[in-house]
């Protein structure tokens, strides 16, 4: 891990991208330097406000990863982010489109489920994101799946958009469970860091300190990967709920369209019957073009030669 400094932190924040790997790498670095948590949060907030609108959500993703994965090592980040996180939510929400706000809502729903903050802070975050609306759309976590009930009243939320499903599926393409490089690193961990019975082999302080460093590195690697796997599980549960809701709505739409199809088939049958009857009646009607002329509208006039004929 590189040494901590404010300049190094600013540089890393400027290089932060929206990829899962970028967020988790920087999160791991910040957690490693958690003794500087107060300064880290201060710089994070400052750089968040300076960032372009399309990068602000990534800063909150970083805060989410740090807050959740640092809890097992200490409360520093949870405590230091608390005074600024509400205003950060307001700031990002005010400069974001609806799609971005949905992602903010997802972060908030996870914090609610896991009780990351006290209820008063969570309520302030809800107010920052949703305003003063007493009734807000529920998250997918709050919707009970009932595949036998597809009526519009069974789910107060709008169905997930196809683009949201595609994005969620694409995010899982680089999920932690598919990280072959980390799998290899974990598989390559020396047996000494995994078997307490081998500690008897330590005979001097130098070898003990070397093993201690190896154990610390292994703990950090495994803790980070466990955090990534936990996040992936949440992502997959969220996707499952989205797909269930999407499927229920598609079943509802299908039933509605099938009903419409049957209705229009009946209308077509009635119109076709009218056409058939009309053709039959037309065939039985007299043809006026073949009747004798009794109107005098086409009376034959004699030629001039006929008038002066000797006959």
């Amino acid at each position: 891990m590189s040494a901590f400094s404010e300049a190094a932190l600013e540089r890393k924040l400027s290089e932060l991208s929206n990829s899962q790997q970028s967020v988790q790498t920087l999160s791991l670095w910040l957690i490693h330097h958690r003794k500087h948590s107060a300064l880290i949060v201060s710089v994070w907030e400052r750089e968040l406000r300076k960032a372009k609108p399309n990068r602000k959500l990534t800063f909150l993703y970083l805060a989410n990863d740090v807050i959740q994965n640092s809890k097992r090592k200490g409360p520093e980040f949870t405590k230091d982010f608390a005074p600024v996180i509400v205003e950060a939510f307001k700031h990002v929400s005010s400069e974001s489109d609806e799609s971005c706000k949905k992602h903010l809502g997802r972060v908030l729903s996870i914090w609610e489920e896991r009780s990351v903050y006290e209820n008063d802070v969570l309520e302030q975050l809800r107010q920052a994101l949703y305003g003063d609306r007493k009734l807000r759309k529920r998250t997918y976590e709050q919707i009970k799946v009932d595949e036998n009930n597809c009526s519009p009243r069974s789910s107060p939320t709008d169905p997930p958009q196809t683009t949201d499903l595609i994005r969620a599926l694409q995010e899982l393409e680089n999920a932690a469970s598919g990280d072959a490089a980390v799998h290899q690193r974990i598989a390559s961990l020396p047996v000494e860091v995994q078997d307490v019975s081998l500690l008897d082999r330590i005979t001097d302080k130098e070898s003990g300190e070397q093993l201690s460093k190896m154990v610390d590195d292994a703990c950090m690697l495994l803790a980070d990967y466990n955090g990534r796997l936990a996040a992936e599980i949440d992502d997959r549960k969220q996707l499952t709920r989205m797909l269930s809701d999407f499927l229920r709505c598609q079943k509802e739409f299908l039933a509605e369209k099938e009903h419409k199809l049957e209705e229009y088939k009946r209308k077509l049958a009635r119109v076709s019957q009218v056409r058939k009857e009309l053709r039959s009646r037309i065939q039985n009607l007299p043809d006026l073009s073949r009747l004798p002329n009794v109107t005098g509208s086409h009376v034959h006039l004699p030629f001039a030669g006929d008038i002066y004929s000797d006959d």
Side-chain angles (χ1 to χ4, degrees):
M1 291 281 178
S2 57
F4 176 84
S5 69
E6 186 172 341
L9 175 57
E10 290 176 351
R11 184 181 70 256
K12 288 180 179 293
L13 288 172
S14 69
E15 296 171 350
L16 180 66
S17 73
N18 196 39
S19 71
Q20 186 181 32
Q21 185 64 42
S22 178
V23 170
Q24 290 173 342
T25 299
L26 181 51
S27 173
L28 183 63
W29 186 79
L30 295 177
I31 293 172
H32 181 72
H33 295 290
R34 61 188 179 280
K35 66 180 179 181
H36 304 288
S37 61
L39 177 59
I40 288 171
V41 171
S42 176
V43 174
W44 173 89
E45 183 184 24
R46 184 181 70 217
E47 296 302 310
L48 165 67
R49 295 184 178 277
K50 290 165 54 178
K52 294 181 179 179
N54 62 347
R55 297 188 65 242
K56 292 182 184 295
L57 180 62
T58 307
F59 275 71
L60 282 177
Y61 280 160
L62 175 64
N64 172 57
D65 199 277
V66 171
I67 289 170
Q68 292 202 65
N69 291 316
S70 65
K71 289 173 66 176
R72 63 175 66 89
K73 295 188 177 182
E76 299 95 341
F77 279 110
T78 304
K79 178 182 176 181
D80 290 332
F81 268 111
V84 304
I85 199 66
V86 173
E87 289 303 317
F89 257 69
K90 287 182 180 178
H91 174 72
V92 176
S93 178
S94 66
E95 298 193 12
S96 304
D97 56 19
E98 288 303 315
S99 175
C100 179
K101 289 180 180 179
K102 288 182 181 179
H103 290 290
L104 286 174
R106 182 182 173 199
V107 172
L108 176 55
S109 69
I110 292 174
W111 289 2
E112 289 173 334
E113 286 183 351
R114 300 181 179 180
S115 300
V116 173
Y117 284 111
E118 298 296 328
N119 287 335
D120 60 332
V121 176
L122 293 173
E123 180 58 33
Q124 291 180 57
L125 290 171
R126 283 192 289 268
Q127 291 288 329
L129 185 56
Y130 300 110
D132 295 326
R133 288 178 296 173
K134 293 182 180 180
L135 294 176
R136 64 183 179 86
K137 289 183 177 180
R138 297 192 301 168
T139 61
Y140 287 106
E141 289 82 354
Q142 295 168 307
I143 299 172
K144 292 182 179 180
V145 176
D146 181 6
E147 295 187 354
N148 296 322
N149 188 352
C150 300
S151 65
R153 297 179 183 177
S154 66
S155 174
T157 62
D158 293 329
Q161 299 296 314
T162 306
T163 52
D164 293 333
L165 288 174
I166 293 174
R167 186 182 300 111
L169 288 167
Q170 289 175 337
E171 289 175 355
L172 287 176
E173 290 181 357
N174 297 319
S177 59
D179 193 335
V182 173
H183 292 172
Q184 181 60 39
R185 290 177 61 191
I186 294 175
S188 301
L189 288 174
V191 67
E192 289 83 359
V193 305
Q194 305 176 60
D195 189 346
V196 68
S197 66
L198 298 180
L199 293 179
D200 294 336
R201 298 180 180 180
I202 303 299
T203 57
D204 58 84
K205 186 175 181 179
E206 182 179 356
S207 60
E209 290 177 348
Q210 289 178 349
L211 181 58
S212 177
K213 184 178 183 306
M214 292 169 59
V215 170
D216 286 343
D217 290 343
C219 285
M220 186 169 292
L221 171 65
L222 290 168
D224 174 61
Y225 191 58
N226 287 342
R228 291 175 60 193
L229 287 174
E232 180 185 339
I233 290 173
D234 287 337
D235 288 341
R236 292 188 182 278
K237 288 181 178 179
Q238 174 79 354
L239 178 59
T240 299
R241 287 185 285 266
M242 291 174 68
L243 288 170
S244 296
D245 199 41
F246 185 79
L247 179 59
R248 291 199 310 274
C249 292
Q250 290 304 309
K251 288 180 177 179
E252 176 188 346
F253 294 152
L254 176 61
E256 178 185 346
K257 300 312 176 187
E258 287 177 340
H259 176 75
K260 284 289 185 183
L261 176 59
E262 292 302 318
E263 178 184 343
Y264 290 134
K265 282 182 177 180
R266 290 192 294 271
K267 288 185 178 182
L268 175 59
R270 291 195 296 268
V271 173
S272 298
Q273 183 64 28
V274 170
R275 182 176 64 175
K276 180 180 178 181
E277 291 293 331
L278 180 59
R279 285 179 176 177
S280 177
R281 294 193 180 195
I282 290 175
Q283 290 176 356
N284 294 328
L285 290 173
D287 187 351
L288 295 180
S289 64
R290 298 181 180 180
L291 293 177
N293 192 328
V294 296
T295 64
S297 59
H298 296 286
V299 177
H300 174 70
L301 296 177
F303 290 102
D306 294 335
I307 297 175
Y308 299 103
S309 173
D310 292 337
D311 299 332

